[in-house]
Amino acid sequence: MNIDIRGFLKSSLNEWENRVCAVVFTARCNWRCAYCHGWRLVKEPEKLEGIEPEKIFSYLDSQRGWIDGLAITGGEPTLQPGLVEFIRRARGYGVQIKLESNGTRPEVLRELLEEKLVDCLAMDYKAPLDERLQKVAGVTTEATAVEKVRESYALAAKYKIEREYHTTLCPAFIDAGMIAEMGVALDAGGWWVLQQYELDELLDPVAAGEKRFGETELDEIEAAAKKSYGNVLLRRGKGS
């Protein structure tokens, strides 16, 4: 099975609401977001221990009735040629599937959604879907990236599955005005998750910067988001 897994968390109560969830981390990503915390998966996955898919399946089999969800994240999971096959196998152990993606490979998402292999789709919503997204993602030469993300968002809305849109509140790339703009453009029916920018373990600390939004600024951002979109969840960061 052609899937490169470089991390496995046996259980989490935070990854997926109301589920005990195992988490798989896949190698490599086609974006280079400065504030990425999974930079080792992106830049040097070969230095992380590889995990055979059969080890994951054996664990899921042993935990039937306890683990009810499997989240697949990365890196960017849709880059893995064996992703669809892996998910087909995993579902056979009685778990629901949450897939986290940057949305740049809508053809993979379409296959998964058409086969009803994914129960929740969590997609990055880093910036308005124009050249500002390419700035955050560090892929200014990838001219089709924005359109591919637009297509993925449309697919998520079309199939009406559980969906989340994740925005990291990094002041170097985003502000309250942009948040209001992004909310208006987002399709109804999902959850928009805003998460505080954390300063540790960054792919590019210089580009990401050391500034974080304060509590008052977070309040303003949350208000702007809720004014423009119905379902908003603000995660204020560590210790909150």
Side-chain angles (χ1 to χ4, degrees), residues 109-197:
L109 299 182
R110 182 180 294 106
E111 181 177 2
L112 291 166
L113 291 168
E114 286 179 350
E115 290 193 38
K116 298 181 179 180
L117 293 175
V118 173
D119 302 285
C120 177
L121 184 58
M123 291 190 293
D124 294 320
Y125 192 25
K126 296 178 182 294
L129 301 185
D130 53 32
E131 68 280 355
R132 288 169 289 184
L133 173 59
Q134 292 186 335
K135 178 183 177 183
V136 178
V139 289
T140 54
T141 58
E142 191 178 344
T144 61
V146 173
E147 289 308 312
K148 286 181 179 294
V149 173
R150 288 183 186 275
E151 185 178 346
S152 293
Y153 283 21
L155 282 169
K158 174 184 176 181
Y159 284 89
K160 300 186 184 301
I161 66 167
E162 183 181 347
R163 55 197 183 276
E164 300 174 0
Y165 301 92
H166 290 194
T167 303
T168 297
L169 302 176
C170 179
F173 298 103
I174 205 162
D175 56 36
M178 291 170 65
I179 288 291
E181 179 183 349
M182 291 163 68
V184 170
L186 195 58
D187 73 274
W191 276 96
W192 189 11
V193 181
L194 309 176
Q195 50 205 26
Q196 172 68 296
Y197 164 53

Side-chain angles (χ1 to χ4, degrees), residues 97-116:
I97 302 295
K98 178 179 183 179
L99 178 65
E100 301 182 7
S101 174
N102 61 23
T104 55
R105 300 200 68 200
E107 65 278 8
V108 177
L109 299 182
R110 182 180 294 106
E111 181 177 2
L112 291 166
L113 291 168
E114 286 179 350
E115 290 193 38
K116 298 181 179 180

Side-chain angles (χ1 to χ4, degrees), residues 169 176 179 194 196 213-227 232 234 236:
L169 302 176
I179 288 291
L194 309 176
Q196 172 68 296
F213 289 116
E215 289 301 315
T216 300
E217 293 170 306
L218 288 176
D219 290 341
E220 294 172 354
I221 287 172
E222 183 179 26
K226 288 183 174 179
K227 186 175 181 179
V232 175
L234 173 62
R236 291 178 178 265

Side-chain angles (χ1 to χ4, degrees), residues 49-110:
E49 180 183 0
I51 301 171
E52 290 297 324
E54 292 300 330
K55 183 176 180 179
I56 310 295
F57 299 143
S58 177
Y59 175 76
L60 294 176
D61 190 29
S62 72
Q63 299 297 311
R64 289 177 186 263
W66 168 245
I67 297 293
D68 50 19
L70 177 66
I72 305 170
T73 184
E76 173 49 45
T78 61
L79 297 177
Q80 300 295 326
L83 177 66
V84 176
E85 181 186 359
F86 177 81
I87 291 177
R88 287 195 192 109
R89 285 278 307 276
R91 288 186 72 90
Y93 296 97
V95 294
Q96 292 189 311
I97 302 295
K98 178 179 183 179
L99 178 65
E100 301 182 7
S101 174
N102 61 23
T104 55
R105 300 200 68 200
E107 65 278 8
V108 177
L109 299 182
R110 182 180 294 106

